[in-house]
Amino acid sequence: MAFHRIPEMRYRQRYLDLIVNPCYVMFSAKRLRLISRCANFLTPEAILRLKLRFFSLSREAQLPRPFITHHNTLDIPLYLRIANELYLKRLIVGGFEGVYEFSKDFRNEGMDRTHNPEFTVMEIYIAYKDYNWMMNFTEENNVRSG
């Protein structure tokens, strides 16, 4: 059995996939550079980059099913977050003017080669601004960054 013909093995043992398929190494490097450029793009504008918690004490009316785990010491169930939106919006309400996060989110439903249970997303919120401001901000900074 050739390794490249076994999709499940490739997705479960990604380090082997990187060895067999060097294009994925280049893809991963591009992804890391993209995240770095996004951070460099937002930070000079006094938009704070955050790292928020993965766990929640409740499902918080989450429609997609979250992963559930158990905290042994506290003897309570915890849920892996499915989105960071609520946490960021609460910080805006609490007085931060601009926040963003590259977050790991988790969904416990539907998995195939294009839908992983763990994925990365960037969310950004700016107080007192609308979508027109965001479009102008993005276009102006895109021109400056080349």
Side-chain angles (χ1 to χ4, degrees):
M1 272 191 306
F3 175 72
H4 66 279
R5 295 177 192 229
I6 308 171
E8 184 176 341
M9 184 183 289
R10 288 178 56 201
Y11 294 117
R12 290 182 184 269
Q13 299 175 335
R14 296 302 290 196
Y15 60 95
L16 294 176
D17 196 24
L18 293 172
I19 293 168
V20 174
N21 297 300
C23 65
Y24 293 132
V25 173
M26 292 184 334
F27 175 78
S28 296
K30 285 180 182 178
R31 181 179 181 274
L32 293 170
R33 282 193 297 274
L34 176 66
I35 289 172
S36 179
R37 285 192 77 183
C38 287
N40 291 337
F41 167 79
L42 295 169
T43 303
E45 302 297 327
I47 301 169
L48 301 174
R49 181 175 180 178
L50 305 171
K51 289 194 179 277
L52 301 171
R53 62 185 181 186
F54 283 149
F55 295 108
S56 175
L57 292 172
S58 68
R59 291 183 63 165
E60 297 183 357
Q62 298 172 350
L63 187 57
R65 292 183 317 162
F67 283 97
I68 302 170
T69 189
H70 185 81
H71 194 291
N72 292 331
T73 303
L74 299 175
D75 193 27
I76 58 172
L78 292 173
Y79 303 90
L80 288 171
R81 69 179 178 192
I82 62 163
N84 57 341
E85 175 183 358
L86 293 175
Y87 304 112
L88 293 172
K89 286 181 176 179
R90 287 175 183 151
L91 291 170
I92 294 294
V93 169
F96 286 89
E97 289 197 23
V99 293
Y100 75 100
E101 182 186 25
F102 294 99
S103 69
K104 291 287 188 188
D105 291 340
F106 307 88
R107 296 218 173 123
N108 192 14
E109 55 192 31
M111 182 176 156
D112 60 35
R113 67 179 196 84
T114 61
H115 296 90
N116 289 319
E118 170 201 335
F119 57 96
T120 303
V121 64
M122 184 188 92
E123 295 254 358
I124 178 172
Y125 292 93
I126 310 293
Y128 314 112
K129 307 293 183 194
D130 63 8
Y131 72 95
N132 290 309
W133 180 90
M134 183 60 78
M135 287 190 302
N136 290 331
F137 172 74
T138 304
E139 290 171 359
E140 288 170 11
N141 281 291
N142 186 38
V143 170
R144 276 189 284 176
S145 66

